[in-house]
């Protein structure tokens, strides 16, 4: 990526999360956005709508919509949200196989048309799909990263702020592990203006925040009834794109390829990463308690089961 030119973000999947990520990328003027989807007219219609928003919201980046992967050529960042939601009657394994095939197809096209991009995977099950994308893309591991920790920690930050009645901006936190019930929120790395929350809240309140964070996605599904969250997921993917495009060197929790860190090797897991123009430029190893380390390994074993199932299905 060279400085001084306009950047390009490909949002692959123009559904709720993809279009929301596109909206935040445009609002932050990160670059022009190409919305890509198999549904005819949907990416074109949403892109036109987003471009027409520019004069009102004061951005000059453009959005275009396409069904043709040739149009992602030259993308600096690809945000992948293409996938199917789980439908009634569909087993978890059915969904794994279907989304696995979609990610395989998407990755073939990214490798062909945007071979120098940094790829942010958002499609669930996140950690398994990110590992699959890494194997299918053939990119160096630092250019394939999963979006989970930014979202999970944003949820935890908002719950802490709500509980204490303080500004969300003052709350920092860290959530490790996989995206799901096995995630590992770290209360002792959660602070309000530098003050650990363990000094501000009684243990039962801290435990309740940890539990609510783990179930954060499900809480929204239960309320919406016909869909899942998209504002915070879209914003989180755009946040990662921002750190990469602006070469910010921000430390954000992301699903990254581990080669021995935290005692894990050859897997993707949520860990603190330094994001910059080359993608995951560094992985930070935090000191963990024995319980936290065990929880991280347990969550990684669950991801490995999903990877093994993909192998059984012939997707990997
Ligand atoms: N290529 C490109 N796009 C595809 C493909 C494909 N092979 N298959 C499906 N899509 C598109 C669909 O047409 C749809 O527009 O992916 C989009 C998915 O959008 P939604 O159904 O609205 O799902 P969304 O809520 O955006 O979630 C997308 O992100 O957070 C995760 O769990 C979520 O895995 C899900 C993903």
């Amino acid at each position: 990526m060279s400085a001084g030119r306009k950047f390009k973000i490909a949002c692959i999947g123009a559904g709720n999360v993809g279009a929301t990520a596109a909206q935040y990328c445009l609002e932050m003027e990160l670059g022009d956005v190409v919305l890509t989807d198999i549904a005819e007219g949907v990416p074109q219609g949403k892109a036109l709508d987003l471009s027409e928003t520019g004069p009102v919201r004061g951005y000059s980046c453009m959005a275009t919509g396409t069904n043709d992967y040739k149009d992602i050529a030259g993308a600096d960042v690809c945000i992948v949200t293409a996938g199917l939601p789980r439908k009634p009657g569909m087993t978890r394994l059915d969904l794994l196989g279907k989304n696995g095939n979609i990610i395989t197809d998407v990755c073939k096209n990214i490798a062909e048309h945007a071979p120098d991009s940094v790829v942010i995977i958002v499609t669930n099950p996140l950690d398994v799909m990110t590992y699959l994308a890494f194997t299918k893309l053939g990119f160096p591991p630092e250019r394939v990263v999963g979006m989970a920790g930014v979202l999970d920690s944003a949820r935890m930050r908002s719950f802490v702020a709500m509980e204490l009645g303080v500004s969300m901006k003052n709350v920092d936190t860290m959530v490790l592990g996989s995206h799901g019930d096995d995630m590992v929120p770290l209360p002792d790395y959660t602070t309000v203006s530098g003050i650990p929350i363990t000094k501000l809240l009684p243990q039962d309140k801290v435990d309740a925040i940890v539990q609510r964070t783990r179930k954060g996605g499900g809480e929204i599904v239960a309320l919406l009834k016909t869909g899942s969250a998209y504002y915070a997921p879209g914003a989180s993917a755009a946040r990662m794109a921002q750190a990469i495009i602006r070469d910010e060197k921000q430390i954000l929790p992301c699903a990254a390829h581990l080669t021995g860190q935290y005692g894990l090797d050859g897997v993707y897991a949520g860990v603190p990463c330094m994001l910059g123009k080359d993608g995951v430029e560094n992985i930070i190893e935090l000191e963990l308690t024995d319980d936290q380390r065990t929880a991280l390994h347990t969550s990684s074993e669950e991801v490995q089961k999903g990877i093994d199932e993909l192998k059984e299905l012939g997707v990997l």
Side-chain angles (χ1 to χ4, degrees):
M1 261 185 259
S2 61
R5 67 175 175 84
K6 209 163 192 188
F7 290 99
K8 180 167 170 178
I9 302 123
C11 291
I12 301 175
N16 283 336
V17 180
T20 306
Q23 180 188 354
Y24 288 122
C25 287
L26 291 165
E27 289 262 347
M28 292 191 285
E29 298 206 287
L30 295 184
D32 289 334
V33 170
V34 182
L35 275 172
T36 313
D37 204 288
I38 46 165
E40 282 179 27
V42 172
Q44 292 85 350
K46 290 191 181 183
L48 184 57
D49 198 5
L50 283 167
S51 291
E52 290 166 0
T53 310
V56 185
R57 296 294 302 157
Y59 56 77
S60 56
C61 292
M62 295 294 288
T64 48
T66 184
N67 306 112
D68 188 340
Y69 278 100
K70 281 210 287 289
D71 297 324
I72 72 166
D76 300 284
V77 172
C78 296
I79 298 175
V80 178
T81 64
L84 295 181
R86 187 151 154 189
K87 300 200 178 95
M90 200 192 243
T91 66
R92 201 185 53 79
L93 207 61
D94 288 340
L95 181 71
L96 191 69
K98 286 203 168 20
N99 280 352
N101 286 327
I102 291 171
I103 292 299
T104 301
D105 177 58
V106 166
C107 289
K108 182 172 82 51
N109 283 293
I110 292 176
E112 186 178 343
H113 298 286
D116 298 323
S117 60
V118 177
V119 179
I120 302 171
I121 302 292
V122 183
T123 304
N124 275 315
L126 187 275
D127 306 86
V128 180
M129 290 300 132
T130 309
Y131 180 85
L132 173 67
F134 167 63
T135 63
K136 297 288 176 183
L137 283 163
F139 287 9
E142 60 271 20
R143 286 204 281 122
V144 187
V145 58
M147 190 294 289
V150 176
L151 169 62
D152 296 328
S153 61
R155 286 180 172 147
M156 188 162 172
R157 289 168 69 187
S158 67
F159 299 150
V160 170
M162 288 174 206
E163 183 62 40
L164 287 169
V166 298
S167 165
M168 307 238 181
K169 287 189 203 168
N170 283 157
V171 184
D172 268 315
T173 186
M174 186 51 66
V175 179
L176 305 186
S178 63
H179 186 47
D181 293 356
D182 292 319
M183 72 176 75
V184 189
L186 298 180
D188 35 350
Y189 285 96
T190 303
T191 57
V192 181
S193 287
I195 309 162
I197 53 157
T198 44
K199 294 197 189 306
L200 296 171
L201 285 170
Q203 192 59 43
D204 61 325
K205 297 273 187 212
V206 173
D207 291 344
I209 287 171
V210 165
Q211 277 316 319
R212 193 174 177 193
T213 303
R214 286 208 179 103
K215 308 267 179 205
E219 184 176 358
I220 296 200
V221 169
L223 289 165
L224 293 179
K225 297 189 180 65
T226 55
S228 48
Y230 51 94
Y231 292 112
S236 300
R239 178 72 193 82
M240 288 169 66
Q242 177 192 12
I244 295 162
I245 281 176
R246 301 217 167 124
D247 194 20
E248 284 179 347
K249 319 288 187 200
Q250 283 260 353
I251 311 283
L252 298 169
C254 307
H257 187 260
L258 301 183
T259 50
Q261 300 92 337
Y262 295 95
L264 297 169
D265 196 6
V267 293
Y268 268 82
V271 291
C273 297
M274 189 177 84
L275 289 190
K277 66 176 174 17
D278 297 323
V280 177
E281 297 185 357
N282 203 357
I283 291 172
I284 286 84
E285 269 196 86
L286 300 174
E287 203 175 305
L288 299 182
T289 64
D290 287 345
D291 285 352
Q292 289 164 345
R293 201 175 165 86
T294 303
L296 182 61
H297 282 239
T298 303
S299 96
S300 186
E301 281 156 22
E302 283 306 308
V303 176
Q304 190 57 48
K305 277 187 202 158
I307 292 170
D308 292 342
E309 284 166 350
L310 274 186
K311 286 183 182 155
E312 280 160 31
L313 290 166
V315 179
L316 238 175

